[in-house]
């Protein structure tokens, strides 16, 4: 009989991950694996990566441990290869060819550990005309068509922070790819390279929209469709106090309840009459403008009208539903999203706060059985 895992171990307990320090989607993917219970060792650089925040508040490094290695020092690559030999997964986010040039590319690592899953996180991918070019989230989603879908029809595209490209199209696809390759490695004894490109993931996210486009159910311009703000019953409306309410009353029965709670039933044109959607939108907007966000929240509470207040980052953790579920948690004085998703047999938790660069070198050497302890070396520039 298999021994049950202790609470907080998570479903990836026992999986070892090496993360070569970077910024953005790579660290987030590694955090996700760490949240799920993996032992993630982050290989930080002397001086740290660019654009770094205070390490003590960098939530993407929670549930991890850190060592410092100068990959440009003579013994730097050997330290990483020692870790790779004992790991199940390695994550790197350099431009194509950089890891190979540093001596820690897939061939170097697989020579020491054929079972290793080598996860590569980039914006453009490992090949193609733009592969070696610099880039950021906004450019990646611009080329895939996903940025052009967002925003009002008479204004510029609305940029969704770096959630759509870096984290949805990048981190989550890298994590899924790693888990699939890990399953394959455990079944066959053979590791492989996972090429996770943000352009690929962001494009993949629009699969349903491409199907609708092919079927003639989606117009290739923003603010003109059912789910992009074109429909007056699926969008946001300003309230009397400058707040906003989000409306998603798509189904007829939910729409009917929405109109009833709004106090506009029988006073608006039929929702199927797209020629009068402008008139419908103006009526709904005028109604919402008559009360505050909190007043409208009270009106739509406990209803199936599919209406919710638009909350800020600081407000969200205090919403009764999110508070009841523990969607956010406090750890080390930092309010942050709790691990997700949830598991019935192997629950997850925030076990430790952000790993401080180099703080865990001796513990990692002991626990992983390393022949030498990674120690900080002289500062080096970002190899990217």
């Amino acid at each position: 009989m298999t021994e049950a895992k202790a609470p907080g171990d998570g479903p990836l307990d026992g999986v070892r991950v090496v993360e070569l320090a970077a910024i953005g989607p790579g660290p987030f993917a590694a955090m996700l694996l760490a949240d799920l219970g993996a032992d993630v060792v982050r290989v930080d650089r002397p001086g740290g990566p660019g654009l770094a925040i205070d390490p003590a508040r960098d939530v993407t490094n929670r549930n991890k441990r850190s060592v410092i290695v100068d990959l440009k020092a003579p013994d730097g690559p050997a330290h990483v290869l020692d870790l790779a030999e004992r790991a199940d997964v390695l994550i790197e986010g350099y431009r194509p060819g950089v890891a190979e040039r540093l001596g820690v590319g897939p061939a170097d690592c697989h020579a020491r550990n054929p079972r290793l899953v080598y996860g590569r996180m980039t914006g453009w991918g490992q090949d193609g005309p733009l592969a070696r070019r610099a880039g950021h989230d906004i450019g990646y989603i611009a080329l895939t068509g996903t940025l052009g879908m967002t925003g009002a029809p008479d204004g510029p595209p609305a940029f969704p922070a770096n959630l759509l490209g870096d984290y949805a199209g990048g981190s989550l696809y890298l994590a899924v790819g790693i888990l699939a390759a890990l399953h394959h490695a455990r079944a066959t004894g053979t590791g492989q390279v996972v090429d996770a490109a943000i352009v690929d993931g962001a494009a993949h996210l629009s699969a349903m929209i491409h199907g609708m486009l092919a079927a003639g159910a989606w117009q290739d311009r923003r603010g003109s469709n059912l789910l992009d703000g074109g429909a007056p019953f699926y969008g946001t409306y300003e309230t009397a106090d400058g707040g906003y309410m989000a409306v998603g009353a798509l189904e007829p029965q939910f729409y009917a309840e929405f109109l009833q709670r709004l106090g506009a039933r029988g006073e608006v044109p039929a929702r199927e009459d797209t020629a009068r959607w402008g008139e419908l939108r103006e009526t709904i907007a005028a109604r919402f403008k008559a009360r505050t966000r909190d007043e409208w929240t009270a009106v739509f509470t406990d209803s199936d009208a599919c209406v919710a207040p638009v909350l800020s980052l600081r407000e969200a953790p205090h919403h009764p539903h999110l508070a009841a579920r523990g969607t956010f948690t406090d750890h080390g004085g930092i309010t942050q999203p709790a691990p997700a998703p949830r598991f019935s047999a192997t629950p997850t938790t925030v076990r430790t706060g952000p790993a401080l660069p180099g703080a865990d070198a001796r513990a990692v050497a002991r626990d992983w059985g390393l022949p030498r302890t990674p120690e900080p070396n002289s500062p080096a520039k970002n190899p990217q």
Side-chain angles (χ1 to χ4, degrees):
M1 183 175 179
T2 303
E3 184 178 349
K5 293 181 182 295
D9 284 349
L12 294 185
D13 180 49
V15 174
R16 288 178 170 177
V17 179
V18 177
E19 175 199 348
L20 301 186
I23 59 173
F28 188 88
M31 182 205 76
L32 177 55
L33 300 180
D35 282 355
L36 298 181
D39 182 5
V40 177
V41 173
R42 178 177 168 93
V43 180
D44 279 301
R45 310 163 192 160
L51 302 181
I53 65 172
D54 177 1
R57 290 175 169 78
D58 189 349
V59 171
T60 59
N61 285 331
R62 72 187 185 189
N63 289 336
K64 303 178 184 179
R65 298 193 284 181
S66 170
V67 301
I68 292 179
V69 174
D70 181 359
L71 278 169
K72 292 188 175 181
D75 62 345
H79 285 304
V80 171
L81 294 176
D82 287 341
L83 288 164
E85 182 178 345
R86 294 157 174 79
D88 300 289
V89 177
L90 183 144
I91 293 175
E92 64 93 357
Y94 303 145
R95 293 197 209 187
V98 171
E100 286 83 351
R101 191 163 65 247
L102 292 170
V104 294
D108 304 294
C109 292
H110 283 143
R112 297 278 293 270
N113 181 2
R115 299 171 61 93
L116 182 73
V117 173
Y118 195 104
R120 316 197 81 165
M121 183 75 259
T122 61
W124 304 116
Q126 295 299 312
D127 52 41
L130 296 177
R132 296 181 183 275
R133 290 283 173 257
H136 280 295
D137 179 293
I138 191 169
Y140 307 141
I141 65 174
L143 290 194
T144 62
T146 49
L147 177 59
M149 290 170 51
T150 64
D154 55 352
F159 184 53
N162 66 333
L163 302 178
L164 177 56
D166 279 353
Y167 295 140
S171 304
L172 296 185
Y173 278 87
L174 175 60
V176 169
I178 284 172
L179 294 176
L182 185 60
H183 174 76
H184 175 266
R186 291 188 166 181
T188 66
T190 303
Q192 60 182 304
V193 176
V194 178
D195 174 6
I198 294 173
V199 290
D200 296 345
H204 192 261
L205 288 169
S206 66
M208 183 192 77
I209 304 300
H210 276 276
M212 296 176 70
L213 185 66
W218 191 275
Q219 300 180 66
D220 196 14
R221 60 180 187 275
R222 61 180 170 274
S224 306
N225 300 283
L226 189 64
L227 302 176
D228 65 356
F233 41 86
Y234 198 89
T236 57
Y237 290 91
E238 188 176 6
T239 57
D241 57 345
Y244 284 87
M245 298 295 291
V247 177
L250 290 177
E251 292 79 3
Q253 67 273 28
F254 302 152
Y255 180 70
E257 183 165 354
F258 164 65
L259 289 183
Q260 181 178 6
R261 297 260 178 160
L262 190 68
R265 196 166 187 174
E267 301 178 15
V268 296
R271 64 182 241 157
E272 295 79 14
D273 188 354
T274 57
R276 299 182 67 187
W277 270 7
E279 179 184 341
L280 177 57
R281 188 185 309 280
E282 290 178 2
T283 300
I284 294 173
R287 290 284 182 173
F288 274 117
K289 197 70 169 157
R291 298 188 187 183
T292 66
R293 190 189 68 177
D294 288 347
E295 288 174 330
W296 282 119
T297 299
V299 167
F300 287 103
T301 295
D302 298 327
S303 80
D304 281 340
C306 301
V307 177
V310 178
L311 303 181
S312 72
L313 291 174
R314 294 192 186 278
E315 290 176 317
H318 303 290
H319 187 276
H321 179 78
L322 303 186
R325 281 186 58 81
T327 299
F328 292 85
T329 187
D330 290 293
H331 190 280
I334 302 174
T335 299
Q336 56 197 280
R342 305 176 187 208
F343 300 85
S344 60
T346 55
T348 58
T349 186
V350 178
R351 304 182 301 279
T352 61
L356 300 181
D360 308 294
R362 295 187 184 280
V364 170
R366 179 196 66 223
D367 297 344
W368 284 40
L370 299 176
R372 59 203 131 194
T373 301
E375 297 288 355
N377 296 297
S378 59
K381 294 182 179 180
N382 185 333
Q384 295 188 60

